[in-house]
Amino acid sequence: MVSPIIPLSLLVLLLSVSMANSASFQESFVQCLHLTQSEFASSIYTPSNPSFTSLLNSSAQNLRLLVPSAPKPELIFTPSDDSHVQAAVICSKKLGIHFIVRSGGHDYEGVSYVSEIESPFIIVDLVKLRGINVDIKSNTAWVQAGATNGELYYRIYEKSSVHGFPAGLCTSLGIGGHITGGAYGAMMRKFGLGVDNVLDAKIVDANGRILDREAMGEDLFWAIRGGGGGSFGILLWWKVKLVPVPPTVTVFTVTKSLEQGATKILQRWQEVAPYIDENLFIRVIIQPFRAGNNTQRTIITSYNALFLGGASTLLQVMKTSFPELGLTRKDCLETSWIKSVLYIAGFPSNTPPQVLLKGKPTFKNFFKAKSDFVREPIPEIGLQGLWQRLLIEDAPLMIWNPYGGRMSQVSESDTPFPHRNGTLYKIQYLSAWQEGDKNVAKHIDWIRKLYSYMGPYVSTSPREAYVNYRDLDLGVNTKNSTNYIQASSWGYRYFKNNFERLVKVKTKVDPENVFRHEQSIPPLPI
Ligand SMILES: Cc1cc2nc3c(=O)[nH]c(=O)nc-3n(C[C@H](O)[C@H](O)[C@H](O)COP(=O)(O)OP(=O)(O)OC[C@H]3O[C@@H](n4cnc5c(N)ncnc54)[C@H](O)[C@@H]3O)c2cc1C
Ligand SMILES: *[C@@H]1O[C@H](CO)[C@@H](O)[C@H](O)[C@H]1NC(C)=O
Ligand SMILES: *[C@@H]1O[C@H](CO)[C@@H](O)[C@H](O)[C@H]1NC(C)=O
Ligand SMILES: *[C@@H]1O[C@H](CO)[C@@H](O)[C@H](O)[C@H]1NC(C)=O
Ligand SMILES: *[C@@H]1O[C@H](CO)[C@@H](O)[C@H](O)[C@H]1NC(C)=O
């Protein structure tokens, strides 16, 4: 099909007719980009474009931030080339237009597609930049920001069954936003985080230049490996180091209800899981269960695990270290690493690995989440109080992720991600609800109260939190210059003392705060 050639001036005219007062804003941005006509047609979306809302919705993971009352962008730009990303930064800066950046759209507070603090704003959506070049010979891969971690896993699997990469469990995460915040997954106890396995990067800086590791220098290269997305530049590419995986791995899921002794087993898990063989990652998913008639209620704990080895070795490890769980050979499924990825991500069995190329999340809902790090086992009385609180909410979920192993060997200041030695496990709290629920305030209030209840049992001074589980309850930036002081409220929780170095780097590389959102690292006042 031959697309009709519409002169740019006519398009601009059409835009200005339909856009009324935002016209000049969009018009000047688009003119500045110097796109060809076909690039213009396929990469500029204004609210009058019939595809605008479906594009806005496409990768947005938290439906809470898509409700009609949530602020909407004036324009979405989907660059198809690294040079377009440079142009977007240069033009936005020149014209004073606020932009936010989206890769995979999984931000817990939607700061990659909604700005609550600045209006107007536009989105630079990297959905089209998803190149992946795996080089088995050198054990490395270059991955473009808009690709998902699932696509990366698939492209590695295509070339080798004994290589992998240690990043997220969920397989629709954007490499751009995911690795910038740490990136943990089922191999973290053996190989550390995604950021611990990064060799190089290409970013667009605040002046629109493309910098690799050598050009950006070690301070900035340090900051982008865990300092959180949207603060230091736009990540274009990561160069990652592949890790060896055995041809056979083993997965299992064993569930225990309160009646089956869940409380005692979970107490034991807290003492064992952070110290057990580093080839073994056993997370616990905790949910209330109600029988249909709602009279019989209990808590179900699911022990969901990956072992980098065969079932017989796993059974020996469990017999020695964690016999309380009662793992049997029948519970174990021996499989390949790529299939273990699908298993842990929750795809139905027999789903072909090609599903990873769809880059689509398995589900979407409305949610509010929080995180904690635990340094001392929670005593039984603490767990009992937790069960009571979980049973009163409609769709709560907790996930406990064990640390230890490689995570304890990396020092707190090696990368901005500080939750290292001494951390037993991380807790994620989640409250989710469906479209049309009238009790949104109740769900949010519930999770805040639960968080407050947990205070005595988790890390303190600071009460640590995972930046990739962004939580705006911890504090937000405002448009004015008091940001640095306000940011301390969340900055030390996400980064501990690394926060101060992050602020120094930010002040040096982006003193005008071109890259900013509700929880971006603030520069010191000039
Ligand atoms: C269902 C679900 C499961 C998850 N599972 C895991 C998990 O197993 N392990 C884990 O570690 N985390 C997990 N996360 C958290 C996830 O790592 C973060 O939400 C991460 O920020 C997502 O990256 P993204 O590109 O998809 O998100 P986006 O929403 O696109 O971006 C997140 C942040 O990074 C910024 N950003 C995006 N792209 C770029 C770029 N190219 N350059 C600079 N900044 C950028 C955005 O502006 C925003 O501030 C999960 C999240 C969800 C919703
Ligand atoms: C976008 O998502 C919102 C929130 O779920 C929904 O109300 C709306 O219908 C969706 N629009 C499209 C075009 O998908
Ligand atoms: C409720 O359901 C449970 C499990 O299905 C059952 O054991 C119990 O007897 C039921 N209670 C009532 C009052 O029907
Ligand atoms: C971790 O901390 C413990 C106790 O605080 C210490 O004994 C151990 O040596 C530390 N491990 C590493 C690798 O630093
Ligand atoms: C900065 O903004 C916040 C919130 O909008 C406001 O409460 C505060 O007074 C402002 N401070 C200054 C110095 O303008």
Side-chain angles (χ1 to χ4, degrees):
M1 197 184 92
V2 180
S3 49
I5 309 287
I6 306 172
L8 189 58
S9 56
L10 178 58
L11 279 170
V12 168
L13 187 70
L14 287 172
L15 263 179
S16 46
V17 169
S18 58
M19 285 307 103
N21 53 6
S22 30
S24 61
F25 167 101
Q26 292 156 328
E27 193 180 303
S28 36
F29 179 73
V30 170
Q31 267 175 358
C32 173
L33 291 176
H34 288 297
L35 300 171
T36 65
Q37 278 161 16
S38 72
E39 284 168 349
F40 173 90
S42 63
S43 67
I44 298 290
Y45 296 81
T46 58
S48 62
N49 185 315
S51 307
F52 177 80
T53 308
S54 59
L55 174 62
L56 176 66
N57 283 13
S58 60
S59 66
Q61 181 71 20
N62 194 344
L63 301 178
R64 173 165 64 90
L65 285 315
L66 286 180
V67 294
S69 60
K72 302 287 181 264
E74 301 289 317
L75 181 150
I76 305 174
F77 177 41
T78 59
S80 51
D81 189 273
D82 290 351
S83 65
H84 295 171
V85 182
Q86 294 180 277
V89 171
I90 291 165
C91 293
S92 301
K93 201 175 163 185
K94 187 165 128 194
L95 299 164
I97 294 170
H98 181 51
F99 67 89
I100 52 182
V101 187
R102 179 162 81 172
S103 287
H106 281 56
D107 193 277
Y108 275 24
E109 299 279 8
V111 308
S112 58
Y113 49 95
V114 174
S115 175
E116 306 268 7
I117 54 174
E118 279 184 69
S119 171
F121 69 96
I122 66 172
I123 298 176
V124 178
D125 189 336
L126 307 186
V127 60
K128 289 182 190 156
L129 301 179
R130 49 206 316 151
I132 299 176
N133 302 312
V134 175
D135 181 33
I136 294 294
K137 249 198 210 142
S138 65
N139 259 323
T140 60
W142 276 102
V143 197
Q144 213 168 9
T148 62
N149 60 330
E151 288 165 24
L152 172 60
Y153 301 158
Y154 185 86
R155 295 299 174 202
I156 297 171
Y157 147 80
E158 253 185 347
K159 294 208 166 156
S160 162
S161 56
V162 292
H163 288 77
F165 186 68
L169 306 152
C170 163
T171 55
S172 51
L173 308 172
I175 283 293
H178 179 45
I179 297 188
T180 46
Y184 81 86
M187 297 199 289
M188 65 187 283
R189 302 191 64 253
K190 173 87 170 184
F191 298 113
L193 304 172
V195 287
D196 300 329
N197 293 279
V198 162
L199 300 168
D200 203 339
K202 284 185 186 153
I203 68 166
V204 174
D205 78 353
N207 296 315
R209 295 173 301 185
I210 294 183
L211 306 177
D212 65 3
R213 177 176 184 168
E214 200 189 339
M216 77 180 84
E218 287 303 301
D219 268 345
L220 183 50
F221 186 62
W222 173 84
I224 60 174
R225 284 174 298 149
S231 286
F232 297 98
I234 303 185
L235 234 303
L236 292 176
W237 294 86
W238 285 113
K239 182 184 187 185
V240 299
K241 184 173 79 194
L242 308 183
V243 302
V245 297
T248 302
V249 304
T250 308
V251 290
F252 69 79
T253 304
V254 170
T255 62
K256 298 286 177 194
S257 66
L258 292 184
E259 293 70 27
Q260 293 168 316
T263 310
K264 286 266 182 298
I265 297 171
L266 189 60
Q267 274 190 280
R268 184 70 190 136
W269 174 90
Q270 299 182 80
E271 291 160 359
V272 171
Y275 301 103
I276 209 163
D277 187 330
E278 63 184 25
N279 291 300
L280 179 54
F281 171 87
I282 314 174
R283 64 172 178 162
V284 195
I285 300 164
I286 302 171
Q287 281 175 292
F289 173 81
R290 292 147 198 261
N293 56 24
N294 210 15
T295 55
Q296 195 179 326
R297 307 196 294 177
T298 188
I299 301 284
I300 301 285
T301 54
S302 303
Y303 292 81
N304 178 238
L306 169 69
F307 179 64
L308 296 169
S312 59
T313 319
L314 168 62
L315 286 165
Q316 277 165 23
V317 171
M318 290 296 282
K319 200 173 145 199
T320 313
S321 306
F322 195 14
E324 295 82 355
L325 190 63
L327 185 74
T328 66
R329 180 65 183 83
K330 268 202 312 209
D331 299 318
C332 300
L333 176 67
E334 287 189 328
T335 186
S336 62
W337 175 72
I338 195 72
K339 288 194 175 156
S340 79
V341 164
L342 299 172
Y343 177 91
I344 300 272
F347 287 99
S349 59
N350 299 324
T351 305
Q354 282 74 8
V355 74
L356 297 172
L357 295 180
K358 292 199 179 139
K360 286 262 186 321
T362 37
F363 63 91
K364 279 190 183 188
N365 53 22
F366 296 75
F367 69 92
K368 171 71 193 164
K370 292 178 166 295
S371 61
D372 260 320
F373 289 87
V374 178
R375 302 175 72 89
E376 300 280 347
I378 301 175
E380 177 163 354
I381 178 141
L383 297 179
Q384 299 293 359
L386 181 56
W387 304 155
Q388 285 169 17
R389 283 167 175 82
L390 286 175
L391 285 169
I392 60 172
E393 171 66 4
D394 283 329
L397 176 75
M398 278 177 102
I399 304 179
W400 295 15
N401 276 295
Y403 273 55
R406 179 77 193 129
M407 291 300 291
S408 298
Q409 291 153 10
V410 179
S411 94
E412 288 195 358
S413 57
D414 270 12
T415 70
F417 182 98
H419 323 287
R420 303 282 187 169
N421 193 20
T423 301
L424 298 180
Y425 58 96
K426 183 190 70 198
I427 294 180
Q428 169 172 207
Y429 311 88
L430 195 100
S431 176
W433 58 94
Q434 301 301 318
E435 180 104 60
D437 193 320
K438 298 273 184 295
N439 294 316
V440 173
K442 197 194 86 186
H443 301 304
I444 293 181
D445 185 52
W446 173 82
I447 195 170
R448 288 178 180 155
K449 284 194 176 128
L450 177 66
Y451 187 73
S452 142
Y453 165 75
M454 291 296 284
Y457 303 114
V458 299
S459 64
T460 53
S461 312
R463 182 171 181 175
E464 297 166 42
Y466 180 31
V467 67
N468 263 355
Y469 292 166
R470 192 185 305 293
D471 178 3
L472 296 186
D473 289 354
L474 304 178
V476 292
N477 292 332
T478 55
K479 238 186 125 171
N480 61 36
S481 61
T482 55
N483 280 343
Y484 174 66
I485 297 153
Q486 288 157 354
S488 309
S489 68
W490 50 265
Y492 288 98
R493 292 170 190 260
Y494 291 150
F495 310 112
K496 297 173 91 171
N497 290 335
N498 294 328
F499 176 59
E500 288 159 26
R501 183 168 172 200
L502 288 170
V503 170
K504 274 189 205 138
V505 177
K506 172 75 177 182
T507 307
K508 195 170 127 205
V509 303
D510 185 17
E512 291 169 54
N513 209 13
V514 171
F515 302 107
R516 62 184 188 273
H517 55 70
E518 281 79 348
Q519 280 186 345
S520 55
I521 304 289
L524 289 170
I526 304 166

